[in-house]
Amino acid sequence: MKFYNTITQQKETFIPIESGKVRMYSCGPTVYNYFHIGNARPFIVFDVLRRYLEYSGYQVTFIQNFTDVDDKIINRSRDEGITPQELSEKYIKEYFIDADALGIERASAHPKVSEHMTEIIDMIKILEEKGLAYNVNGNVYYHVDNFPDYGKLSKQSIEDLKSGARVDVNDEKQSPLDFALWKKKKAGEPFWESPWGQGRPGWHIECSAMSKKHLGETIDIHGGGQDLIFPHHENEIAQSEGSCGKPFANYWLHNGYININNEKMSKSKGNFFTVRDIAKSFDLEVVRMFLLMAHYRSPVNFSEELLQQASTALDRFYTAKYQMAFLLDNATTDAATKAEQTWISSLDAYKTAFIKAMDDDINTADAIASIFELVRDLNSHLTPTSSKEAIIAGQKLFGELTGVLGLAVKEKETNLESEIEDLIAKRQAARKEKDFKKSDEIRDELLAKGIIIEDTREGVKWKRV
RNA sequence: GGUGCCAUAGCCAAGUGGUAAGGCAAAGGUCUGCAACACCUCCAUCCCCAGUUCAAAUCUGGGUGGCACCUCCA
């Protein structure tokens, strides 16, 4: 399998450090609010990557952190009149609610900054000993000029970065590119004891420290959004490689942005949507489908219309799944005929196409196309006379492929309110008497109650709007 | 100014040298009392110009247009 590696700027065959095992890290959310659709993309992308690696036989250790020590958290907790810890705990819970609805599995661990102060301080101490960090009045900065590889991920030279750097009002830094590793305590802020006095860590050091603790000095894959390339990931490299002298990550994977009207979604533009908001109008599986229908590195535009398209597309999966379940319930023969056996073997082609697409830098758009082709094949070949063996073969492959993408395609509800059941029965009676006016009226009434009626060759079926 | 990305049908989107996947929408058809579902059919020569090649959406050069990073942000 191949991945596009940001640091080499090309697709490379994936070779894990340890055969059969993958260690990956992805930057998680700063927990001060519900996360937005832009945050959701890397969560989904790297969840799919993790699932696919496991599907391919790797034993994956996947770490995604929670940033629970941060200016934004402190500020917001003041606004809400609670402690920063209370605020971050609250939004960690909310994160899991949305993540679950998006079909995002739990990482192997979700470490928190607040629980890794020892590791963070130890790493800063090493950097200081190596001459890569300096302490000014209790603020510790990374000395970028002393790390020759700085800029290797973002393809920027230190000189270029300096010329583009904003005039820095902070005269404590020796160079404008230097960044904070440890920030001196300010009144009213949470703090921890350290060799440099009371304070808290800078933003970048946490990922280096937690990655090292949970995954070791060199990891296989490091992921995140493209906007983390600089400075966050560049700084992580400086910290991790500067402190241990070994490569930090072998493969750097970065997902593209989500835009609104071709513009980046940002807090300052006020054009962002939280996942929680979207959940009011759409099942979040639609969001997952929408994002996976594009390649993870491409920028995607986001709009309600596009979500609606994805929703309709996803309905094809649901319809196929329910149809197979229906056919299996009503199947009368067990064993596949010879012709069916031939057909069952032919299904392998879809799996092969799916794997080929996923192997090529996680091309989920192409992989989904192969599932649509499978669905068409299933819809045209499975009939009320199909054997259970054939239907089960179809179900198995469909479930396997959608499962790798984390598309749950939830089981159909079986419980129908008795009131609805009565209406359906009345409508059937009216149809039997060819009283179509009445039957259509009942159908409209059911629709108003959120039930769509379909008269199929196999009988009446219903589904929720 | 430095760095990187993108431009494929009405909409979305794969495809990185061999003659344009898939989804949504629209149209025609089969099925159906009708509708819906499903299935069948139909729908593009790939921003422009030049070049390399037997062969280019795919490579090279030059344009044009758009986006992003260099500042907290996935």
Side-chain angles (χ1 to χ4, degrees), chain A residues 318-432:
Chain A
Y318 279 89
T319 305
K321 177 160 179 166
Y322 297 162
Q323 175 68 0
M324 285 192 285
F326 176 88
L327 291 175
L328 186 63
D329 281 346
N330 295 281
T332 52
T333 56
D334 290 333
T337 62
K338 195 141 195 171
E340 282 183 325
Q341 280 169 359
T342 307
W343 175 75
I344 290 170
S345 349
S346 75
L347 294 179
D348 277 345
Y350 300 109
K351 181 170 170 174
T352 305
F354 179 90
I355 288 171
K356 187 180 173 208
M358 292 297 283
D359 273 348
D360 183 16
D361 197 24
I362 328 165
N363 192 336
T364 53
D366 227 1
I368 284 180
S370 71
I371 300 180
F372 276 112
E373 288 174 349
L374 167 67
V375 163
R376 177 179 298 136
D377 201 339
L378 296 173
N379 285 339
S380 33
H381 282 87
L382 294 174
T383 69
T385 58
S386 295
S387 68
K388 288 184 181 177
E389 187 180 345
I391 298 165
I392 289 169
Q395 285 180 320
K396 182 170 173 288
L397 182 58
F398 176 79
E400 182 177 322
L401 301 189
T402 51
V404 172
L405 297 178
L407 293 167
V409 194
K410 293 180 259 319
E411 293 297 337
K412 184 172 176 170
E413 288 179 74
T414 49
N415 295 327
L416 206 48
E417 300 85 329
S418 57
E419 175 201 15
I420 303 287
E421 283 184 341
D422 288 347
L423 283 170
I424 292 176
K426 278 182 189 165
R427 177 168 174 277
Q428 281 308 89
R431 288 184 71 216
K432 203 164 187 178

Side-chain angles (χ1 to χ4, degrees), chain A residues 18 30 84 112 280 332 390 401 422 447:
Chain A
E18 193 177 342
T30 301
K112 296 172 200 162
K280 290 172 189 162
T332 52
L401 301 189
D422 288 347
L447 184 61

